[in-house]
Amino acid sequence: MTVEQNVLQQHSQKHQQTLLNQLREVTGTTDVQLLQQALLASNGDLAEAVAFLTEKNAKVPQQDEATYYQTAQITNDRYISVGSQADTNVIDLTGDDKDDLQRAIALSLEESSRAFRETGITDEEQAISRVLEASIAENKASLKRTHTEVWSDSPNPHDRKRQENCPVGLKNVGNTCWFSAVIQSLFNLLEFQRLVLHYSPPARMQDLPRNQKEHRNLPFMQELRHLFSLLVGSKRKYVDPSRAVEILKDAFKSSESQQQDVSEFTHKLLDWLEDAFQIKAEEDREGEQPKNPMVDLFYGRFLAVGVLEGKKFENTEMFGQYPLQVNGFKDLHECLEAAMIEGEIESLHSAENSAKSGQEHWFTELPPVLTFELSRFEFNQTLGRPEKIHNKLEFPSMLYMDRYMDRNRDITRIKREEIRRLKEHLTVLQQRLERYLSYGSGPKRFPLADVLQYAMEFASSKPVCTSPLEDVDTTALPGGTTAQLTPPASTGEQPDTSVPAEGSGSGPQAQQQQRVSIHKPFTQSRVPPDLPMHPAPRHITEEELRVLEGCLHRWRSEVENDTRDLQASISRIHRTIELMYSDKSMMQVPYRLHAVLVHEGQANAGHYWAYIFDPHQQQWMKYNDISVTKSSWEELVRDSFGGYRNASAYCLMYIDDKKPFLIEEEFDKETGQMLSGLDKLPPDLKEYVEADNKLFVREMEEWDALQARKLQQEKLALAAASVAAQPMSTELCPPDNTAPSIASQHDLEYMEQQSPTEDSKHLQEDTERAISKAAAEHDEKSPEALLNTAMKVEYTRLLRFAQEDTPPERDYRLLHVIVYFIHNQAPKKIVERSLLMQFADRNLGFDERCKSIMKVARAKLELIKPDEVNMEEYEMWHQDYRKFRDTTVFLLIGLELFLKKSYVEALMYLIFAYQYNKELLAKGPYRGHDEVLIGHYRRECLLKLNEHAAVLFETGEETEVNAGLSIMNELVVACIPLLLVDEMEEKDMVAVEDMRNRWCSYLGQEMEPNLQEKLTDFLPKLLDCSTEIKSIHDPPKLPSYSTLELCERYGQVMTSLTLSRTPADGR
């Protein structure tokens, strides 16, 4: 065969393999013989082959469901998708008519070829355009959403301010969490970050672009530079990537909107960046081959060595992201081993005339950034839709690639052969061990050593009687055994031994006393004393027992020794396999884990985030849209390995550990100082970020000015109301302007009411009682002395309240502010001034003694110098007490509504009770109420609403479904971040997972297309793991309660909880 013929044959075989891969991806059929039969029947026509397979496999018409599709990566001279070289095809499988399905597939394939010939844009690019178009539409639609929905910004810009040098997040502008995860992973590759930031557009960029790639890539590159510069130096907690997404959307026009696999987006993103750098490289080259930094950073090469129908071949191919199958493997090395070998490779080392075919892949050049795509989605041909693979797959933080390198081909083959031999031996040993551990021929198996032990125990047991029925009273009455065996009386007969009905006085008493107690095995744990613990042999001689015991002892010892030997051998083989590549010669190509991209959810809906390692802090960071938090390897393992909940890694990014420049910071060439913040940016980007920061600072200043104006207006309004309501005549006021300031009066409105309300009367009665008691003890004292004594009497009374150990339904902190202050160890000066305010009340009794004491108290208030009592601190303590009372009102109303099962109304009260209470508890453990209690009922309220919404959704009725989703969107989804913000509260995390799993369970069920569409639109919001506190309803307006009414209602609701509620931990 000539060289040309050999090349043509290889090309033909490769083309046939490509068609097989296309058919496999489009139809989900994995049977190679069936695929080859379809190609043969269609003479290589892909559309006819698809029609052949769909006709052959379509036993049941497809249900009308949401559009599902599968994509494969395109093969070109720069990027080879290993194991999948098919063109990308987007197939609509929603039709319930087989002919329509075939026509749709044919039309799609024809349209794909025509579009590519005319525009040079692949289906893959168009699919990415569709998801970007959907993202922009979602972002625009979010502007019309109510403030209870997700994606909204906090109106307070201080909530959006970056904290010191914390990493900047990316706003989810509408189902773009996948964009955030990929961009953050690339941004934190500092070498990649420098390449993007210092990219200078070609000189001809100002002119009209020469082709469509330039029209698409260069503006996107410029926008990516802007986005990266904001991630470096912005003062915002998170930035908006809409412009970059908008550029990508404008690159392709499509009227459809479909979900796009993130690995495809990553592939195309790098492809666009490569094109942008290629344009620049070609412009800058000086007679030499242009060098593309994207290719150098992300692309490597492998050597394909194989045999095709007995003929050996070798060829080198380029790769970017390396795809790996997950199903059937337990760790990353097993995936890699399987991916590096295709087909039957024994013929590689056998005779030339072998007919077997297969190939091995050996890396000849690894990229500095090595990316693995984990294929966690497969097409379920029975259900006609893709499904996610939740299997557990472990991967190391340090990966040694030596065993996959071409230069180690010979030694790796030897080690693989040795491992294969060890695994065969291991299988034999495990089968032998299984026979010892699962002994028996029936459905139930037991360890053989235990079986022998049981036999020995049986033989050694002493017989109690010669028959198991010998000591049982067979003549017992209905309570006995015989009565249970007696057949029931016929319908017309009255049993003469019936048990009297409960509560009846009939029936002979002697008969009841003679009954034998029956042992009930399922309801009674006590064993009757006369029942032997074990069955025993009836007849056995001492000689027989001695021989039997000797044999059983010896056999059991032999079995235990054999089991230990097998277990030890299995452990040694496992250890040998684990250490097979641990010698230094096979640990020379280390790759450290840089980023893990995680998906939570199902195949057609879910949420994405990224774990990225910060080498300078030696800390894993979790990048979840706008939220960037510190994490740990343990959390990464929990969320990324799979097999736990619905979260698992779909992309792993490793970096060459011997190339520190990938993650090294940049240093100033003159000073040698490390560059940080705006100093890292070129002049044009520095100016861009500074302008954005000025806008943000101005936004905060405008907000502060607005709040200051509102506060001033409120103070003026309160002051005017206070002056207008003042009832006292001037003759009752002490001379020389001794009246306390208006601000002090309205701040303590719960202590001194200007109108004769029930609260003020109650407080006046307590005060007058203290004055009377002080006067009775010292009748001749001056008003000042009486004031001091009365204050001591009142303080002693309140101190007793504070020191009393009370149940939850009686909280004396609600009775008086001083009790609250004593509980929380307020400064002495704060307590004294508060007591003086109580005795300076203008509404005290009108007898001369009370008037004189009131005047002295007001005079003392005026004599207190500013340096003696910090008025800001004084007002802060009283503000905290007002918040405590508000928290109590929120809590009692929320609990009352919860007990009435008015969960929708109860939720907001419980939400704000928890938030206010948490702010109080941050200042001290006795500032608020029991956080566990409030958290439990807040959580239970959300679970009840989630259950109610799910029941409404299951009805399938349009009105009911919309009502259920409205509850979820406006209440549950908006409040979920409040449960996620504190990840230490495990019960809240479990509750969120329960709610999500309830809705994710619908994905595998058949439903109407409109329900499927609503569910697909809703799930990403529910699965959003962002802990940003979204805007929710304003706090409900609180009614005004007197102190006595507040204490009474609070006591009643807490008593009701004590009688009816579950424990405070909620379980």
Side-chain angles (χ1 to χ4, degrees):
M1 181 181 293
T2 64
V3 175
E4 291 81 358
Q5 290 173 326
N6 189 26
V7 171
L8 287 173
Q9 183 179 3
Q10 288 185 8
H11 178 75
S12 174
Q13 292 161 350
K14 189 171 183 179
H15 178 67
Q16 184 180 10
Q17 184 63 39
T18 300
L19 291 175
L20 287 173
N21 286 335
Q22 285 181 304
L23 276 178
R24 184 184 296 112
E25 293 292 334
V26 169
T27 64
T29 304
T30 56
D31 190 332
V32 177
Q33 291 184 350
L34 186 59
L35 293 172
Q36 290 175 341
Q37 181 183 354
L39 279 180
L40 185 62
S42 62
N43 293 322
D45 187 290
L46 189 60
E48 291 186 11
V50 171
F52 174 85
L53 288 172
T54 54
E55 182 177 359
K56 194 175 187 63
N57 294 329
K59 297 178 181 179
V60 180
Q62 290 289 334
Q63 297 295 324
D64 189 15
E65 296 177 332
T67 302
Y68 300 98
Y69 57 90
Q70 286 205 334
T71 57
Q73 293 159 337
I74 190 168
T75 301
N76 55 40
D77 56 344
R78 292 175 305 177
Y79 184 90
I80 299 296
S81 176
V82 181
S84 178
Q85 299 173 330
D87 292 339
T88 302
N89 298 282
V90 181
I91 306 300
D92 183 4
L93 297 180
T94 61
D96 56 0
D97 185 87
K98 182 176 60 180
D99 294 334
D100 290 344
L101 174 61
Q102 295 173 5
R103 284 195 295 272
I105 293 172
L107 182 61
S108 174
L109 293 171
E110 181 181 351
E111 182 67 19
S112 168
S113 302
R114 184 184 61 78
F116 182 75
R117 287 194 303 271
E118 294 179 359
T119 66
I121 303 174
T122 65
D123 285 349
E124 185 178 24
E125 294 167 332
Q126 293 175 9
I128 292 175
S129 170
R130 284 191 287 271
V131 74
L132 292 171
E133 185 108 28
S135 298
I136 296 300
E138 178 74 15
N139 188 32
K140 292 178 179 177
S142 68
L143 298 176
K144 303 177 183 178
R145 289 186 174 132
T146 61
H147 60 281
T148 59
E149 289 190 275
V150 293
W151 319 132
S152 58
D153 290 326
S154 169
N156 185 351
H158 292 280
D159 294 339
R160 295 179 269 119
K161 184 180 179 182
R162 184 181 183 182
Q163 300 299 319
E164 297 179 358
N165 292 322
C166 292
V168 178
L170 284 174
K171 182 181 178 181
N172 188 329
V173 295
N175 296 334
T176 56
C177 46
W178 46 270
F179 178 87
S180 302
V182 173
I183 290 297
Q184 291 283 22
S185 301
L186 294 173
F187 172 79
N188 282 277
L189 281 171
L190 297 186
E191 178 63 15
F192 180 84
Q193 180 189 123
R194 284 188 287 269
L195 286 172
V196 172
L197 291 175
H198 294 281
Y199 176 85
S200 56
R204 67 171 183 270
M205 184 179 177
Q206 304 302 326
D207 304 329
L208 289 175
R210 295 182 304 177
N211 54 50
Q212 193 167 16
K213 283 187 176 181
E214 290 187 15
H215 179 77
R216 174 193 67 195
N217 296 334
L218 297 181
F220 172 73
M221 193 68 198
Q222 186 64 21
E223 200 50 56
L224 190 63
R225 292 180 71 236
H226 288 162
L227 183 59
F228 272 30
S229 66
L230 290 174
L231 292 175
V232 168
S234 179
K235 290 185 178 181
R236 303 175 190 267
K237 177 184 175 182
Y238 57 90
V239 295
D240 191 334
S242 293
R243 282 182 156 183
V245 177
E246 190 86 38
I247 293 291
L248 292 174
K249 185 268 299 185
D250 288 340
F252 315 103
K253 298 296 181 182
S254 172
S255 59
E256 299 180 14
S257 173
Q258 294 182 1
Q259 184 83 17
Q260 177 67 24
D261 187 75
V262 178
S263 60
E264 300 291 338
F265 165 75
T266 311
H267 166 212
K268 293 310 299 180
L269 174 66
L270 294 178
D271 202 20
W272 294 331
L273 293 175
E274 179 190 341
D275 288 340
F277 276 95
Q278 187 69 24
I279 295 169
K280 179 64 177 172
E282 290 175 354
E283 183 181 80
D284 295 343
R285 67 176 177 177
E286 298 177 357
E288 58 185 28
Q289 185 71 18
K291 192 174 183 181
N292 193 317
M294 289 294 106
V295 175
D296 295 340
L297 202 57
F298 293 102
Y299 291 89
R301 295 179 182 275
F302 66 84
L303 182 67
V305 182
V307 173
L308 184 62
E309 296 181 358
K311 303 297 181 181
K312 294 184 178 181
F313 67 89
E314 285 190 10
N315 58 286
T316 301
E317 298 181 6
M318 206 168 186
F319 72 94
Q321 301 173 77
Y322 203 86
L324 298 174
Q325 294 297 319
V326 170
N327 211 2
F329 306 109
K330 68 176 184 179
D331 59 40
L332 186 61
H333 278 298
E334 285 192 3
C335 293
L336 274 167
E337 290 280 357
M340 302 299 280
I341 302 173
E342 295 181 8
E344 302 175 78
I345 62 167
E346 294 87 347
S347 58
L348 291 172
H349 320 292
S350 61
E352 183 74 18
N353 58 358
S354 173
K356 294 181 179 180
S357 300
Q359 62 176 320
E360 293 176 332
H361 293 169
W362 299 96
F363 293 119
T364 56
E365 181 184 348
L366 289 174
V369 181
L370 180 58
T371 305
F372 296 113
E373 297 174 10
L374 303 182
S375 178
R376 283 195 171 270
F377 299 96
E378 65 180 4
F379 192 84
N380 188 320
Q381 194 171 355
T382 304
L383 298 176
R385 60 169 173 255
E387 290 184 339
K388 185 177 178 182
I389 302 170
H390 294 291
N391 298 354
K392 183 177 181 180
L393 182 79
E394 300 178 0
F395 49 83
S397 58
M398 186 67 75
L399 177 68
Y400 293 96
M401 295 294 294
D402 303 74
R403 69 185 79 174
Y404 311 110
M405 301 303 294
D406 183 52
R407 60 175 178 266
N408 296 322
R409 190 195 305 185
D410 293 336
I411 188 171
T412 299
R413 282 175 173 169
I414 294 173
K415 290 181 179 292
R416 284 179 181 171
E417 180 61 27
E418 178 64 16
I419 290 174
R420 187 190 63 78
R421 187 186 62 79
L422 287 173
K423 286 185 175 180
E424 288 178 354
H425 186 45
L426 182 65
T427 302
V428 174
L429 294 180
Q430 287 173 333
Q431 290 173 348
R432 291 179 181 174
L433 179 63
E434 184 65 18
R435 295 192 187 103
Y436 282 94
L437 298 180
S438 299
Y439 184 80
S441 57
K444 292 185 177 180
R445 309 290 179 98
F446 302 94
L448 180 54
D450 292 348
V451 172
L452 295 172
Q453 177 65 26
Y454 299 152
M456 191 157 48
E457 291 174 358
F458 171 77
S460 304
S461 299
K462 299 299 182 181
V464 178
C465 56
T466 57
S467 170
L469 299 177
E470 185 176 290
D471 58 344
V472 178
D473 185 4
T474 59
T475 63
L477 293 171
T481 309
T482 309
Q484 294 178 344
L485 302 176
T486 304
S490 63
T491 309
E493 296 178 355
Q494 292 291 335
D496 56 352
T497 58
S498 61
V499 179
E502 185 179 351
S504 67
S506 61
Q509 224 173 2
Q511 178 178 326
Q512 295 179 3
Q513 293 175 350
Q514 292 174 0
R515 287 177 184 161
V516 180
S517 61
I518 305 173
H519 173 57
K520 302 175 182 179
F522 294 103
T523 59
Q524 181 179 333
S525 60
R526 181 182 61 82
V527 178
D530 56 345
L531 187 67
M533 292 297 295
H534 297 287
R538 296 187 189 181
H539 306 287
I540 185 169
T541 65
E542 292 292 332
E543 180 64 22
E544 290 173 337
L545 180 60
R546 183 176 58 79
V547 173
L548 185 57
E549 283 185 339
C551 292
L552 290 173
H553 271 294
R554 185 176 72 253
W555 294 339
R556 185 168 184 267
S557 177
E558 292 171 357
V559 167
E560 288 177 342
N561 290 335
D562 290 346
T563 302
R564 280 195 296 270
D565 291 344
L566 284 170
Q567 289 172 335
S569 297
I570 289 172
S571 298
R572 283 195 300 271
I573 293 176
H574 276 302
R575 185 63 176 163
T576 302
I577 293 174
E578 289 174 3
L579 299 176
M580 187 65 68
Y581 295 99
S582 61
D583 51 289
K584 289 186 177 181
S585 63
M586 300 299 284
M587 300 176 68
Q588 301 301 309
V589 189
Y591 272 76
R592 186 178 58 75
L593 187 61
H594 164 69
V596 180
L597 278 66
V598 180
H599 174 269
E600 181 181 35
Q602 301 297 331
N604 58 349
H607 181 67
Y608 297 91
W609 69 89
Y611 289 102
I612 303 172
F613 188 71
D614 185 338
H616 306 289
Q617 298 186 43
Q618 291 295 300
Q619 173 83 49
W620 281 99
M621 304 293 292
K622 182 178 180 179
Y623 288 78
N624 189 355
D625 289 336
I626 67 171
S627 173
V628 183
T629 56
K630 290 185 177 180
S631 185
S632 63
W633 175 253
E634 291 71 26
E635 183 184 2
L636 183 152
V637 166
R638 184 194 68 190
D639 288 346
S640 305
F641 278 11
Y644 176 74
R645 300 187 295 189
N646 292 325
S648 55
Y650 69 88
C651 183
L652 306 176
M653 193 175 289
Y654 284 87
I655 58 175
D656 192 336
D657 201 45
K658 291 187 174 181
K659 295 179 179 177
F661 71 89
L662 293 170
I663 52 174
E664 278 184 347
E665 293 285 358
E666 195 173 359
F667 291 85
D668 188 278
K669 295 180 180 178
E670 297 180 359
T671 64
Q673 296 294 321
M674 186 178 75
L675 299 178
S676 62
L678 296 177
D679 295 334
K680 298 172 68 172
L681 303 178
D684 63 322
L685 294 181
K686 187 175 183 180
E687 182 179 344
Y688 175 81
V689 175
E690 286 176 342
D692 184 74
N693 285 341
K694 286 179 181 178
L695 288 175
F696 186 60
V697 170
R698 188 183 309 150
E699 184 183 354
M700 289 190 290
E701 291 173 350
E702 291 174 353
W703 170 267
D704 293 339
L706 176 63
Q707 299 309 306
R709 287 196 300 272
K710 287 183 178 179
L711 183 61
Q712 185 65 24
Q713 291 170 359
E714 290 174 2
K715 285 185 176 181
L716 291 173
L718 286 171
S722 177
V723 172
Q726 191 168 4
M728 301 303 296
S729 61
T730 55
E731 63 186 9
L732 295 179
C733 297
D736 302 325
N737 300 322
T738 57
S741 66
I742 293 173
S744 297
Q745 291 177 21
H746 76 69
D747 275 351
L748 305 181
E749 57 188 5
Y750 52 85
M751 288 186 59
E752 177 180 352
Q753 300 288 338
Q754 300 298 334
S755 57
T757 62
E758 186 180 345
D759 248 7
S760 63
K761 288 179 181 178
H762 172 68
L763 194 60
Q764 291 161 21
E765 289 172 0
D766 289 340
T767 308
E768 291 169 3
R769 195 178 299 114
I771 293 174
S772 299
K773 191 172 182 180
E777 295 177 2
H778 307 283
D779 195 30
E780 298 180 358
K781 280 198 172 183
S782 64
E784 185 174 359
L786 279 177
L787 173 63
N788 291 335
T789 304
M791 288 179 63
K792 289 180 181 178
V793 170
E794 179 69 356
Y795 181 78
T796 303
R797 181 181 73 91
L798 297 174
L799 181 62
R800 283 199 301 269
F801 284 143
Q803 292 175 339
E804 186 176 337
D805 187 13
T806 60
E809 57 267 21
R810 193 162 69 246
D811 192 336
Y812 286 137
R813 292 175 299 172
L814 296 172
L815 279 176
H816 203 288
V817 65
I818 300 297
V819 179
Y820 182 81
F821 286 174
I822 294 172
H823 267 282
N824 292 285
Q825 300 178 345
K828 182 180 177 181
K829 294 289 186 182
I830 304 294
V831 176
E832 289 177 353
R833 183 180 175 88
S834 300
L835 270 176
L836 269 177
M837 287 293 299
Q838 178 177 332
F839 283 87
D841 184 2
R842 298 175 186 273
N843 296 319
L844 287 179
F846 291 99
D847 62 89
E848 290 300 323
R849 185 174 56 197
C850 288
K851 289 179 185 178
S852 61
I853 287 178
M854 180 267 290
K855 291 178 180 180
V856 172
R858 299 180 79 84
K860 279 181 172 288
L861 284 172
E862 288 300 317
L863 291 174
I864 297 175
K865 299 178 181 179
D867 58 344
E868 292 180 4
V869 178
N870 186 333
M871 288 306 297
E872 290 185 2
E873 184 182 13
Y874 175 80
E875 292 177 3
M876 180 199 72
W877 275 95
H878 283 276
Q879 286 171 4
D880 283 352
Y881 185 64
R882 279 198 299 277
K883 179 173 280 190
F884 172 71
R885 286 173 65 96
D886 288 347
T887 303
T888 306
V889 177
F890 277 129
L891 177 58
L892 82 86
I893 295 177
L895 292 177
E896 287 174 346
L897 291 169
F898 183 90
L899 292 174
K900 294 176 182 176
K901 299 184 179 180
S902 301
Y903 303 119
V904 174
E905 296 82 0
L907 180 61
M908 280 301 114
Y909 286 98
L910 293 172
I911 288 293
F912 281 99
Y914 188 91
Q915 293 304 108
Y916 280 29
N917 195 65
K918 188 173 184 179
E919 294 172 9
L920 289 171
L921 292 180
K923 298 182 179 181
Y926 301 107
R927 296 286 186 107
H929 293 285
D930 182 4
E931 187 175 30
V932 175
L933 172 77
I934 306 176
H936 164 67
Y937 282 99
R938 179 186 68 162
R939 182 170 58 248
E940 286 299 310
C941 196
L942 283 168
L943 287 170
K944 297 284 187 184
L945 287 172
N946 184 78
E947 180 65 22
H948 178 57
V951 170
L952 291 175
F953 183 82
E954 289 172 359
T955 64
E957 298 293 333
E958 184 75 16
T959 306
E960 303 292 318
V961 169
N962 290 338
L965 292 178
S966 177
I967 290 173
M968 293 302 297
N969 282 320
E970 296 182 9
L971 296 175
V972 179
V973 170
C975 294
I976 278 180
L978 298 173
L979 273 64
L980 294 177
V981 70
D982 185 8
E983 294 192 356
M984 298 303 291
E985 184 52 66
E986 183 65 25
K987 293 184 181 66
D988 284 348
M989 302 286 288
V990 171
V992 172
E993 286 306 313
D994 288 345
M995 289 187 279
R996 288 173 172 167
N997 289 336
R998 176 64 188 269
W999 290 90
C1000 284
S1001 66
Y1002 295 138
L1003 289 172
Q1005 302 179 19
E1006 294 184 0
M1007 62 182 70
E1008 295 296 326
N1010 64 320
L1011 293 184
Q1012 183 70 49
E1013 182 180 354
K1014 291 177 184 292
L1015 182 65
T1016 304
D1017 179 63
F1018 162 68
L1019 274 179
K1021 303 172 186 177
L1022 180 65
L1023 296 174
D1024 179 14
C1025 293
S1026 172
T1027 56
E1028 181 201 11
I1029 306 301
K1030 312 292 183 182
S1031 298
I1032 55 177
H1033 291 286
D1034 295 329
K1037 188 174 181 180
L1038 295 179
S1040 179
Y1041 293 136
S1042 68
T1043 297
L1044 292 179
E1045 186 180 6
L1046 179 61
C1047 292
E1048 182 181 357
R1049 292 188 63 171
Y1050 181 76
Q1052 289 174 352
V1053 74
M1054 295 304 291
T1055 302
S1056 300
L1057 295 184
T1058 305
L1059 296 175
S1060 65
R1061 73 179 175 88
T1062 55
D1065 64 358
R1067 295 289 179 267

